[in-house]
Amino acid sequence: MVEGTVLKTIRLGALALAMAAPGAFGAAMPGPCDRFVGKLPNVSKSLCEQARLVDSGARSVQGTPLYVRDVKPPDARLRVLVVGAIHGDELSSAAVALHWLRLASDEKVDLPQPVHWRFAPVVNPDGLLAHPPKRVNSKGVDLNRNFPTPNWERDAQTYWQQRTRKDPRRWPGPKPLSEPETRFLHDEMQKFKPHLIVSIHAPYGVLDFDGPSVPPSRLGRLYLDQVGIFPGSLGNYGGVHKGVPVVTIELPNAQRTPLDAETRQMWLDLLRWTSAKIQGDAAAAR
Ligand SMILES: [Zn+2]
């Protein structure tokens, strides 16, 4: 009798805890929109909330969740990974990723090949949330030089020492994939197996492309200008060594997004090129 009562109390206690937990954690742990709204240009609370970002389970060096969101039409065959703010001080890149996420969810565009999108709008949250925001992560690593390209040990360090003269904003890190943020992206590439990666940056106002197949000649007002190959960059790793084409978008301004109409035009151009590309690739494979 006594045992039964104790058991009942424990059960009730556990139930009470379980019921209290979501509210309690919700209050204690800031969500993605608490973190990013106010920090990102042209991102309202409602835009951020509509994005319904999901905790991927991966964490930054400082323990911030790395958020993702999938948008998948039922008949999608092509997988595209969209990456923002791998450089934390390129605020507009995360904002544009969130605007594109909304367009991917809302806008019905008839395409020959529907796309399964995976968005990771803020890959370097520690850099983005720093005051002032920083390009590098909280260990001072340029994440876009930390990918395991061949001869990384030699080339990335030599490049950093000789070409950048040890620019602290461009340190490739102690070894390839030394950072949780780059390991997260690397894992996503393994699991999601994207046919295409779109990596958003700023502020050079051009379009770059690495990898097989024909690059887009323009997206909105951005024109193709292949600027070069960097040891340890995502474009170099994905495009040149893994055979996954990488479109690198350099927005014209790191603090401000393009006008909404231009952001939409870039999105539509990206959609059309992506859809045509898979058709071309499928035709070539036949
Ligand atoms: Zn960048």
Side-chain angles (χ1 to χ4, degrees):
M1 188 67 196
V2 173
E3 273 183 318
T5 310
V6 170
L7 196 62
K8 212 181 224 174
T9 311
I10 290 170
R11 279 203 186 128
L12 277 172
L15 183 66
L17 253 180
M19 286 172 71
F25 282 118
M29 296 253 296
C33 298
D34 300 314
R35 289 181 164 99
F36 302 141
V37 174
K39 191 82 185 182
L40 298 179
N42 194 21
V43 171
S44 65
K45 192 152 191 268
S46 84
L47 180 79
C48 182
E49 282 172 354
Q50 277 173 45
R52 288 187 280 129
L53 297 173
V54 175
D55 182 346
S56 68
R59 296 287 177 271
S60 69
V61 171
Q62 290 187 16
T64 307
L66 302 178
Y67 295 101
V68 292
R69 167 76 195 285
D70 278 25
V71 178
K72 186 184 181 194
D75 48 351
R77 277 180 43 210
L78 177 61
R79 293 179 299 279
V80 180
L81 177 63
V82 181
V83 177
I86 194 167
H87 290 140
D89 58 354
E90 298 167 5
L91 304 174
S92 58
S93 70
V96 163
L98 289 171
H99 280 268
W100 284 355
L101 206 172
R102 184 179 62 78
L103 292 170
S105 322
D106 288 2
E107 202 155 325
K108 295 292 162 262
V109 182
D110 256 340
L111 290 173
Q113 297 295 338
V115 176
H116 175 185
W117 300 94
R118 178 164 295 173
F119 289 86
V122 183
V123 172
N124 179 9
D126 296 346
L128 185 132
L129 296 170
H131 303 282
K134 291 186 304 180
R135 173 184 173 94
V136 292
N137 78 346
S138 70
K139 287 203 291 180
V141 177
D142 180 343
L143 300 174
N144 205 32
R145 301 291 181 270
N146 192 239
F147 288 91
T149 47
N151 300 316
W152 185 96
E153 276 79 4
R154 189 192 66 203
D155 294 349
Q157 296 297 335
T158 308
Y159 190 94
W160 179 62
Q161 287 168 14
Q162 294 176 6
R163 298 286 294 276
T164 81
R165 298 187 184 172
K166 300 193 179 183
D167 181 349
R169 286 167 42 81
R170 289 175 168 76
W171 184 47
K175 58 178 191 183
L177 298 180
S178 57
E179 307 309 300
E181 298 90 349
T182 37
R183 288 198 296 273
F184 157 73
L185 267 190
H186 188 256
D187 288 351
E188 286 298 322
M189 288 170 71
Q190 309 271 56
K191 287 185 303 191
F192 184 57
K193 299 191 186 350
H195 296 94
L196 171 72
I197 298 173
V198 179
S199 182
I200 316 174
H201 290 257
Y204 298 108
V206 294
L207 197 61
D208 198 356
F209 184 81
D210 294 283
S213 79
V214 182
S217 57
R218 62 180 287 185
L219 295 180
R221 293 182 189 180
L222 299 182
Y223 286 85
L224 185 69
D225 184 4
Q226 287 171 288
V227 285
I229 296 220
F230 305 98
S233 77
L234 178 61
N236 187 350
Y237 175 68
V240 181
H241 298 292
K242 301 298 279 185
V244 181
V246 180
V247 174
T248 300
I249 293 172
E250 282 279 354
L251 300 168
N253 189 304
Q255 275 79 43
R256 279 188 294 125
T257 61
L259 296 175
D260 288 352
E262 167 69 2
T263 299
R264 181 168 176 274
Q265 190 57 55
M266 289 167 64
W267 167 253
L268 291 174
D269 289 348
L270 178 67
L271 269 183
R272 290 193 189 108
W273 175 77
T274 302
S275 185
K277 186 196 116 42
I278 188 79
Q279 278 216 313
D281 289 359
R286 272 200 291 273

